[in-house]
Amino acid sequence: MLVSCGHRDGGWESQLLETGFLGIFLCPLWTLSRLPRETPTSRIVLWGFRWLIFRIMLGAGLIKIRGDQCWWDLTCMDFHYETQPVPNPAAYFLHRSPWWVHRFETLSNHFLELVVPFFLFLGRRMCILHGALQILFQVVLILSGNLSFLNWLTIVPSVACFDDATVGFLFPSGPGGLKDQVLKMQKEKARGAQPTLTYGRVVRQMVNLALGALVAWLSVPVVLNLLSPKQVMNSSFNPLRIVNTYGAFGSITRERAEIILQGTASPNASAPDAVWEEYEFKCKPGDLRRRPCLISPYHHRLDWLMWFAAFQTYEQHEWVIHLAGKLLANEADALSLLALNPFAGRAPPRWVRGEHYRYKFSLPGGPHAAAGKWWIRKRLGPYFPPISLRDLKDYFRSREWPYPEPE
């Protein structure tokens, strides 16, 4: 499957697969009618979506209280806005909120992820309340960070919490409109009228029953994982990823590390007069004066991977060296993933290196902010030493990577 080809699944791909799979059974196959009379939406499918949002939220809540002490101390939000993968402009200001706001945010998160999911099983009104709260929660997350399309996708199963009476105001109520047609169908049903039992209807009911049995069977290891103190997140127990386990931010980093890639045209990388020029990514922090980006629901995957790599070493993330090799060759496909190539229109760099920095938000109204800086940074040391394309020939050959040729 194509989704299995990436370096890391942050939950987006598996959740997209499961949501899309359930969506296959949401509408009838042989009609494009906006209101198919003989094939109403199956309750099994609706509960499939509700079961999905239940696992998403509860899994996220459980992994937090099992993963990091700051979720118990209510201090995680003191760090989250600054250290999340790709902050947005709102995060810059939210990071400076009073301490009691951050405590409230953390408590609210626990309530929404550990308590509210059970509203699904407490009757119609509580189910509707669950849907409204979860959608509101996702909107807040969209406004406060760049979590790609994940929050938008999480809204989809929450919509299954609303019935016709709840969302009826969204549809026209005139004669012959959808609302009028639904009322007529409900009156017919109240009089005891039974829909015609067609072959297609029987097949659809059988398919829905099979779907319910399949989801129930595949949910067994997922439920056991939720109950386990060694819970894993964003994983699957079946190759088709139809029923998965989810979670987010089981641990919160206290400081933000960044990898800054630099190149030089100097023949000697160790020369004191070597001029090192920085590559800029499309969204991740780099230039101190560049405003944090706003890209949701778009996803700059390379920027996310650089965030993960900064926690560890390049030996644990060899693809960073692979990227450096492509930059040494000025490879167009790799450069298209970046915002700025300092060697555009010139010969490729002779050397590329990775520098390790600690980044922090500047203080709004402070001297750095007054100078136009959104970030301040401190060098931690080299992430990987200067390398040339010639140095990488054996490295690439040993890993069976195509050796990049200068363009």
Side-chain angles (χ1 to χ4, degrees):
M1 294 178 66
L2 184 61
V3 71
S4 301
C5 295
H7 292 280
R8 177 186 291 266
D9 177 8
W12 316 283
E13 289 86 354
S14 295
Q15 189 174 328
L16 184 60
L17 283 176
E18 186 169 353
T19 305
F21 177 74
L22 290 171
I24 294 173
F25 304 91
L26 193 61
C27 302
L29 182 61
W30 300 113
T31 177
L32 297 178
S33 171
R34 299 172 65 190
L35 189 65
R37 296 178 61 88
E38 304 301 330
T39 53
T41 301
S42 170
R43 290 184 179 272
I44 292 175
V45 179
L46 290 177
W47 274 103
F49 280 110
R50 293 172 185 177
W51 176 233
L52 171 58
I53 188 63
F54 176 85
R55 285 180 287 114
I56 291 171
M57 303 312 299
L58 186 62
L62 290 175
I63 202 70
K64 287 180 174 64
I65 62 174
R66 289 169 174 162
D68 198 319
Q69 183 62 36
C70 72
W71 289 111
W72 288 93
D73 299 338
L74 307 182
T75 58
C76 278
M77 297 306 294
D78 293 349
F79 313 101
H80 168 73
Y81 292 116
E82 184 176 74
T83 63
Q84 63 179 307
V86 185
N88 70 3
Y92 175 82
F93 299 99
L94 290 170
H95 177 65
R96 300 296 178 180
S97 300
W99 68 268
W100 55 268
V101 173
H102 291 319
R103 303 300 178 271
F104 174 75
E105 290 170 336
T106 311
L107 278 173
S108 299
N109 186 95
H110 290 329
F111 175 70
L112 289 163
E113 294 183 342
L114 295 171
V115 178
V116 172
F118 293 95
F119 288 6
L120 283 167
F121 311 107
L122 300 180
R124 174 181 177 270
R125 291 186 178 181
M126 296 301 285
C127 184
I128 293 172
L129 178 60
H130 169 278
L133 288 174
Q134 296 300 1
I135 290 175
L136 177 61
F137 183 35
Q138 298 308 313
V139 170
V140 170
L141 294 177
I142 290 168
L143 295 175
S144 62
N146 287 307
L147 299 178
S148 72
F149 58 84
L150 183 62
N151 306 119
W152 301 83
L153 183 62
T154 305
I155 289 174
V156 174
S158 299
V159 175
C161 298
F162 305 117
D163 58 14
D164 292 347
T166 308
V167 298
F169 71 95
L170 297 174
F171 300 94
S173 56
L178 282 177
K179 191 181 298 185
D180 183 53
Q181 295 179 49
V182 170
L183 289 174
K184 291 179 180 178
M185 293 170 62
Q186 290 173 342
K187 290 178 181 179
E188 291 175 4
K189 185 176 180 180
R191 291 197 302 266
Q194 295 295 327
T196 305
L197 194 62
T198 63
Y199 175 76
R201 184 179 177 87
V202 172
V203 171
R204 184 174 173 84
Q205 289 176 345
M206 296 297 292
V207 170
N208 288 331
L209 288 173
L211 171 66
L214 177 64
V215 170
W217 172 255
L218 295 178
S219 294
V220 173
V222 174
V223 172
L224 293 177
N225 176 69
L226 286 173
L227 298 175
S228 171
K230 297 181 179 180
Q231 174 193 0
V232 295
M233 67 179 188
N234 299 327
S235 183
S236 181
F237 301 100
N238 65 87
L240 295 179
R241 302 192 184 186
I242 294 174
V243 181
N244 310 295
T245 177
Y246 301 100
F249 296 107
S251 61
I252 297 292
T253 54
R254 305 317 195 257
E255 294 181 334
R256 181 177 198 90
E258 289 289 348
I259 303 167
I260 303 299
L261 299 182
Q262 302 173 337
T264 182
S266 173
N268 183 1
S270 302
D273 59 347
V275 177
W276 291 92
E277 301 175 76
E278 296 186 2
Y279 291 89
E280 280 292 325
F281 287 73
K282 291 189 175 182
C283 206
K284 90 175 192 68
D287 182 358
L288 304 181
R289 289 180 168 80
R290 190 175 69 167
R291 186 197 66 187
C293 66
L294 184 62
I295 57 167
S296 177
Y298 195 69
H299 183 30
H300 290 306
R301 191 177 185 89
L302 179 59
D303 295 52
W304 275 70
L305 292 175
M306 292 294 289
W307 179 74
F308 284 113
F311 298 150
Q312 298 173 310
T313 66
Y314 72 87
E315 291 91 348
Q316 295 166 296
H317 295 269
E318 293 183 338
W319 63 266
V320 176
I321 304 300
H322 189 257
L323 173 62
K326 291 178 177 293
L327 298 183
L328 284 163
N330 261 359
E331 187 175 288
D333 288 343
L335 290 170
S336 69
L337 301 175
L338 305 182
L340 173 65
N341 170 22
F343 297 90
R346 296 190 283 159
R350 295 188 178 187
W351 302 87
V352 166
R353 70 182 182 184
E355 292 288 279
H356 215 186
Y357 283 89
R358 177 181 297 124
Y359 271 64
K360 298 182 68 174
F361 278 138
S362 64
L363 180 66
H368 294 95
K373 296 181 179 180
W374 292 80
W375 299 94
I376 56 176
R377 73 182 185 184
K378 178 181 179 181
R379 185 177 182 271
L380 300 176
Y383 186 78
F384 63 83
I387 52 178
S388 67
L389 198 56
R390 183 176 56 185
D391 296 334
L392 294 177
K393 182 170 292 187
D394 291 338
Y395 189 88
F396 272 60
R397 183 181 296 115
S398 66
R399 288 155 180 79
E400 298 182 347
W401 293 343
Y403 184 68
E405 297 293 341
E407 295 188 2

